[in-house]
């Protein structure tokens, strides 16, 4: 408790681990709170990553995270598989409390808590979560062998998950609220060429049906407003993410959507000695490589800040 660390990094994933590699190589002896169940971040729930430079054959998301984690550890980062549950960030010495009740003091903090799955916001979506409703095809796809599943969303995540689900499901119906996809062309083309994927355009899910287990969906046509019901064994929600900034609301300047505001081309927040990176600050790009890039920036900003003290 009495020891004051140079820097504590909250969160793992490409941003947190890259910040850890840089901070450790700068001899700052960083402490990294990886998260108790979310260690490694969103890439732990993906399959093959084809666009991370340096891997011409692609790399599995969990393998990439494991390699980054090992690299951080090799240079001396101390990794703790626990959550930070409370932070007091305004003073010169920052005080963080973890899920086991330990308190850490640090001169600088790097926030890299990433983002969480966005929900549609339906009462029965929540109630039937784990009973047919899921946000992670790589985690739960296996349970839908020879079943008919729906997936909501029109971005790259929805395309990726839909393709992955065809390994198990007999049919995947992709439900999108508009008549054109947001996904990149390569991902959209791949999904459209998959004979097991059907597209339901201009359609919104307005209710999830079923008592103890999901049995179907109530749908609404966004053009003519007509409502209908259709049987499904499962629903995968892939409509984007929300920043995981709940612990710092009221302490740090956030934008209207909850992303941490940083100053210009830096990772500096409005609080001295507090830096933010990765999906927590990024509305726009949200790629593993951009998260890693901003993690690097945060470590360099923290290093400069500490050397000035
Ligand atoms: P996204 O690009 O923000 O797409 C979200 C999709 O969900 C959009 O089509 C959106 O519809 C729809 N949507 C949002 N809210 C909705 C709601 N309440 N009800 C129904 N539909 C809703 O999110 P993402 O697909 O998770 O991708 C995020 C970022 O990660 C992107 O930059 C993407 O390129 C990247 N990514 C890359 C890969 C890859 O390269 N392998 C894989 C996954 C993700 P509208 O289109 O109408 O807005």
């Amino acid at each position: 408790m009495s020891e004051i660390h140079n820097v504590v990094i909250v969160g793992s994933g490409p941003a947190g681990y890259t910040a850890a590699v840089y901070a450790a190589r700068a001899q700052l002896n960083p402490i990294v709170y990886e998260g108790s169940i979310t260690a490694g971040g969103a890439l732990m729930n993906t399959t093959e990553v084809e666009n991370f430079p340096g891997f011409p054959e692609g790399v599995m998301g969990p393998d990439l995270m494991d390699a980054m984690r090992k690299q951080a550890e090799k240079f001396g980062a101390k990794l703790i598989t626990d959550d930070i549950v409370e932070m007091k960030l305004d003073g010169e010495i920052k005080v963080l409390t973890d899920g086991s009740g330990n308190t850490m003091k640090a001169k600088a903090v790097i926030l890299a808590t990433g983002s969480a799955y966005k929900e549609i916001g339906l009462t029965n979506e929540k109630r039937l979560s784990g009973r047919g409703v899921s946000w992670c095809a790589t985690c739960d796809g296996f349970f839908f062998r020879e079943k008919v599943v729906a997936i909501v969303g029109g971005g790259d995540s929805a395309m990726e998950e839909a393709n992955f689900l065809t390994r198990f499901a007999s049919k995947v119906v992709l439900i999108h609220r508009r008549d054109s996809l947001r996904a990149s062309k390569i991902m959209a083309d791949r999904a459209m060429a998959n004979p097991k994927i059907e597209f339901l355009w201009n359609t919104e899910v307005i209710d999830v049906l079923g008592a103890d287990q999901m049995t179907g969906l109530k749908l609404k046509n966004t053009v003519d407003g007509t409502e209908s019901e259709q049987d499904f064994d499962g629903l995968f929600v892939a409509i984007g993410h929300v920043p995981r900034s709940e612990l710092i609301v009221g302490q740090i300047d956030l934008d209207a959507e909850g992303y941490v505001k940083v100053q210009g081309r830096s990772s500096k927040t409005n609080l001295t000695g507090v830096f933010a990176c990765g999906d927590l600050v990024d509305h726009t790009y949200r790629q593993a490589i951009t998260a890693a890039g901003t993690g690097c920036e945060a470590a360099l900003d923290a290093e400069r800040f500490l050397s000035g003290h």
Side-chain angles (χ1 to χ4, degrees):
M1 165 67 184
S2 54
E3 188 182 353
I4 298 175
H5 299 277
N6 287 316
V7 57
V8 174
I9 298 166
V10 186
S12 43
Y17 287 140
T18 304
V21 168
Y22 274 75
R25 284 193 79 249
Q27 316 256 296
L28 296 176
N29 304 316
I31 309 287
V32 185
Y33 273 93
E34 300 181 285
S36 57
I37 37 177
T38 55
L43 281 184
M44 298 301 282
N45 294 327
T46 62
T47 49
E48 199 166 0
V49 180
E50 292 178 333
N51 51 10
F52 200 90
F55 296 91
E57 308 304 328
V59 56
M60 297 303 281
D63 293 343
L64 180 61
M65 286 305 96
D66 191 45
M68 287 193 193
R69 184 180 195 276
K70 285 195 178 117
Q71 199 172 349
E73 228 171 4
K74 175 179 132 182
F75 291 115
K78 185 175 174 203
L79 307 175
I80 301 176
T81 307
D82 202 344
D83 301 308
I84 289 294
V85 296
E86 204 179 327
M87 292 188 248
K88 197 164 171 347
L89 299 173
D90 53 350
E92 197 174 328
I93 301 300
K94 323 295 176 194
V95 184
L96 299 92
T97 308
D98 71 20
S100 311
N102 303 309
T103 304
M104 284 273 164
K105 288 183 177 178
K107 293 179 215 165
V109 169
I110 294 175
L111 301 169
T113 46
S115 56
Y117 298 118
K118 189 170 158 189
E119 298 176 4
I120 304 172
L122 304 168
T123 310
N124 287 329
E125 170 193 16
K126 199 97 179 156
R127 185 178 61 81
L128 292 168
S129 149
R131 296 156 182 261
V133 180
S134 168
W135 285 262
C136 178
T138 38
C139 316
D140 300 326
F142 181 79
F143 300 112
F144 293 86
R145 274 185 191 284
E146 297 308 315
K147 306 273 187 199
V148 177
V149 299
I151 178 154
V152 186
D156 281 340
S157 297
M159 301 309 118
E160 188 171 81
E161 304 252 300
N163 269 314
F164 181 78
L165 285 169
T166 60
R167 293 190 197 180
F168 309 102
S170 56
K171 185 164 88 173
V172 176
V173 178
L174 193 138
I175 301 172
H176 184 37
R177 60 186 179 183
R178 295 187 293 126
D179 64 359
S180 62
L181 296 170
R182 182 175 294 277
S184 58
K185 192 169 180 328
I186 185 170
M187 304 282 278
D189 287 351
R190 205 174 285 167
M192 290 198 178
N194 189 321
K196 278 185 161 184
I197 301 178
E198 278 177 19
F199 287 79
L200 202 51
W201 303 104
N202 297 317
T203 304
E204 260 174 8
V205 173
I206 54 169
D207 202 1
V208 185
L209 309 173
D212 296 329
Q213 187 69 30
M214 179 192 151
T215 54
L217 296 173
K218 191 167 181 183
L219 305 169
K220 184 177 178 179
N221 185 298
T222 54
V223 177
D224 60 21
T226 51
E227 295 183 5
S228 60
E229 289 186 5
Q230 205 166 316
D231 290 347
F232 287 105
D233 300 303
L235 169 68
F236 286 82
V237 180
I239 59 172
H241 302 84
V242 285
R244 295 181 62 200
S245 53
E246 60 278 5
L247 278 184
I248 47 175
V249 172
Q251 292 199 62
I252 289 206
D253 285 351
L254 307 176
D255 70 12
E257 290 172 65
Y259 290 85
V260 173
K261 285 189 185 171
V262 288
Q263 298 169 20
R265 271 285 284 119
S266 84
S267 65
K268 293 177 195 163
T269 68
N270 62 308
L271 292 183
T272 309
V274 181
F275 307 88
C277 54
D279 281 4
L280 186 63
V281 302
D282 183 6
H283 280 265
T284 316
Y285 302 106
R286 311 178 50 80
Q287 305 297 306
I289 187 69
T290 52
T294 58
C296 159
E297 289 170 9
L300 295 176
D301 286 341
E303 187 187 350
R304 276 173 207 149
F305 164 76
L306 290 165
S307 67
H309 276 64

